[in-house]
């Protein structure tokens, strides 16, 4: 049974690449790292009911399990190539495996990412994906390079995924218009789009970069710590979708944008003189980008409200343990 499941995964995710010398089927994969490139690797685990709501469709779980990992490569400025998949399933359920593989493959294919191996075990539903990508030597983006005076930017809009999670937990009593806004927010939760093209475009431009998985404040805090700087954010500048602003009041929308997790947008810093170039580079690849603040001396993130007073918040986004 397990063999058939693995066969099914292999068929549904097939992606020929010359640099995969040996893929799924042997004791280990053999991969050829292109000459003159550095290998960038990351792994993330999704646990049922923790990292996605119980009852999430298998196709969405497959997409998201890969997306959150590709987002880590995007934040490093890396181009993805290969993945490993460790799947723990309560039972050998071919319907789950087919849906999962379809979602995984739908995201993998446009990036020519090959699934080269993994492991399949029985237990409470949990998925680990490890991704491997390349970056030119010394050009990986890190959390550590932000300098006082740099500008702070984010891609896309903030808070949609957290609002989507909130919306999922509310009883359904929407008209068609509100239902379509809800669906947009829920899709932002279930089908995050990793900002790979933006990350690659930021190589040699951004001084620091992180992907927003735990919330803007929490993740910007990591840039502060790694770079030894502070950051001042203007609440009025935070990019928020019209769906978020239509369905939620200002207080909730601001909370989601500052502390909500799961957006998988990039947050990065650039020297002020590079702002115009970065904006035009990202707009050329169809990626929205917004300046939200500035790097200052200090060691943490401060948020200035529309009345110019500093916001006090002890909710710095949720940090998960595992
Ligand atoms: P072994 O006992 O040598 O670890 P497995 O039966 O676990 O072998 O795996 C057989 C082959 O199938 C290996 O090449 C492994 O990488 C691959 N594989 C197992 N599970 C998965 C999975 N969930 N996704 C992709 N490849 C898998
Ligand atoms: Mg194994």
């Amino acid at each position: 049974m397990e063999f058939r499941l693995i066969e099914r995964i292999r068929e549904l995710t097939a992606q020929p690449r010359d640099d995969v010398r040996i893929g799924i089927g042997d004791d280990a994969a053999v991969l050829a790292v292109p000459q003159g490139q550095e290998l960038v690797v990351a792994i993330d685990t999704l646990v049922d009911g923790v990292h996605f709501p119980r009852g999430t469709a298998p196709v969405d779980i497959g997409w998201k399990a890969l997306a959150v990992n590709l987002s880590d490569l995007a934040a490093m400025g890396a181009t993805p190539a290969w993945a490993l998949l460790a799947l723990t399933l309560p039972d050998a359920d071919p319907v789950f495996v087919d849906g999962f593989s379809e979602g995984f493959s739908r995201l993998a294919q446009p990036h020519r990412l090959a699934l080269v191996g993994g492991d399949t075990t029985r237990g409470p539903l949990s998925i680990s994906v490890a991704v491997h990508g390349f970056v030119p030597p010394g050009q990986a983006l890190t959390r550590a390079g932000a300098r006082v005076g740099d500008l702070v930017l984010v891609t896309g809009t903030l808070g949609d995924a957290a609002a989507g999670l909130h919306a999922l937990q509310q009883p359904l009593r929407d008209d068609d218009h509100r239902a379509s806004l809800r669906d947009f927010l829920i899709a932002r939760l279930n089908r995050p789009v990793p900002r790979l093209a933006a990350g690659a475009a930021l190589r040699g431009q951004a001084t620091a970069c992180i992907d927003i998985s735990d919330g803007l404040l929490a993740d910007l805090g990591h840039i502060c710590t790694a770079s030894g700087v502070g950051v001042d954010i203007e609440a009025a500048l935070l990019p928020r979708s019209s769906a978020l602003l239509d369905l939620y009041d200002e207080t909730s929308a601001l909370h989601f944008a500052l502390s909500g997790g799961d957006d998988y947008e990039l947050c990065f810093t650039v020297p002020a003189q590079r702002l115009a170039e970065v904006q035009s580079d990202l707009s050329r690849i169809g990626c929205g980008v917004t300046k939200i603040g500035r790097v200052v001396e200090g060691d943490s993130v401060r948020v200035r409200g529309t009345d110019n007073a500093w916001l006090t918040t002890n909710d710095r986004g949720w940090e998960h343990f595992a």
Side-chain angles (χ1 to χ4, degrees), residues 2 6 27 118-121:
E2 235 167 60
I6 296 169
D27 291 315
D119 195 24
T120 308
T121 52

Side-chain angles (χ1 to χ4, degrees), residues 6 9 23-27 85 87 115 117-120:
I6 296 169
I9 293 171
I24 293 174
D26 218 304
D27 291 315
L85 166 64
L87 206 48
L115 182 63
D119 195 24
T120 308

Side-chain angles (χ1 to χ4, degrees), residues 87-205:
L87 206 48
T88 305
L89 300 172
D91 46 67
D93 175 2
V95 175
F96 180 90
V97 165
D98 277 16
F100 180 93
S101 301
E102 187 198 330
F104 185 100
S105 177
R106 215 181 278 172
L107 177 58
Q109 234 144 38
H111 298 293
R112 296 192 48 253
L113 176 123
L115 182 63
V116 297
D119 195 24
T120 308
T121 52
R122 201 177 293 257
L125 179 59
S126 142
I127 303 108
S128 294
V129 175
V131 287
H132 309 68
F134 312 130
V135 75
Q139 285 198 40
L141 302 172
T142 72
R143 303 173 176 188
R147 280 168 304 206
V148 173
D150 285 354
L151 303 176
V152 179
L153 286 81
V154 288
T155 61
T157 56
L158 299 175
D160 295 329
L165 180 60
H166 179 269
L168 262 183
Q169 291 157 346
Q170 302 308 301
L172 259 177
R173 47 176 158 65
D174 289 344
D175 58 35
D176 284 356
H177 176 62
R178 289 174 61 87
S180 81
L181 300 178
R182 245 173 88 95
D183 288 348
F184 169 84
L185 296 176
I186 293 168
R188 292 272 288 157
L189 174 71
N190 287 336
R191 298 285 184 103
V193 178
R195 293 292 192 177
L196 285 158
L202 290 172
R203 290 201 296 254
Q205 299 278 17

